[in-house]
Amino acid sequence: MGRGRSDKVLLNTEQRQRLEAISRNGYAPAKKILHAQVLLMCDEGEGATKKWTDEQISSVLNLHRNTVGRIRKRFLAQGEQPALNRSQRKSAPVRAKIDGHTEAQIIALCCSQPPAGQAHWSLRLLTKEIYKRNIITEISRETVRKVLKKTNYDRGKHKDFVFQSGI
């Protein structure tokens, strides 16, 4: 199960020295060091010490065979840096439930007068009122707390002004 001739990694001496420095220094991120080791083992150029198959590389480095192939193909298609560095996410892993407009509505609600019989807004009262006013369909007390914490709001502690910073 050797590789065909079309996807051989041929490193020049400069690339090989850079990859060896990355794999030896220990200061780079673990994935970068691992990818550098894979590329060094995949090398079939004049500086290569041994010809490794994907199966051998994967067993020595405790990776899956497909991972070795993906790193090699990324190096051949995109170059050294994309093969070493992890690709950045295009979007956040979890979409934010609250946007700026909703946050502003929650803060405005918190700055308004509390319900009759209440001295100040509690997180439970705020959450219930948010549901009643259909500001958002689903929200937890913790999310409301985080929104208020961002604004440095201190519920009912100061009578003269709303925010601790005096705004």
Side-chain angles (χ1 to χ4, degrees), residues 97-110 123 126 130 135-136 139-155 163:
K97 291 186 177 191
I98 296 179
D99 59 352
H101 179 69
T102 308
E103 278 185 15
Q105 287 181 320
I106 292 172
I107 293 166
L109 175 64
C110 197
L123 291 177
L126 279 170
I130 290 168
I135 294 174
I136 193 166
I139 192 168
S140 67
R141 287 191 314 258
E142 179 63 15
T143 307
V144 173
R145 185 193 68 78
K146 285 181 182 178
V147 167
L148 297 176
K149 184 177 180 185
K150 276 200 260 183
T151 61
N152 211 12
Y153 182 76
D154 196 3
R155 291 174 289 117
F163 298 99

Side-chain angles (χ1 to χ4, degrees), residues 7-74:
D7 63 349
K8 286 185 179 179
V9 173
L10 301 170
L11 298 172
N12 59 33
T13 54
E14 183 181 308
Q15 288 175 321
R16 189 162 191 69
Q17 287 173 349
R18 272 196 309 266
L19 292 174
E20 285 174 348
I22 290 170
S23 65
R24 280 196 213 124
N25 74 4
Y27 292 110
K31 290 279 188 192
K32 190 172 188 174
I33 293 172
L34 193 62
H35 287 203
Q37 290 172 342
V38 167
L39 289 174
L40 286 169
M41 293 172 111
C42 285
D43 183 25
E44 295 182 18
E46 66 274 352
T49 55
K50 179 182 173 184
K51 249 186 180 175
W52 295 80
T53 64
D54 286 355
E55 288 79 17
Q56 290 172 332
I57 295 170
S58 64
S59 65
V60 168
L61 296 177
N62 199 21
L63 295 170
H64 194 274
R65 178 174 36 97
N66 294 346
T67 305
V68 175
R70 273 195 307 270
I71 294 168
R72 185 181 66 258
K73 285 180 182 166
R74 192 177 307 137

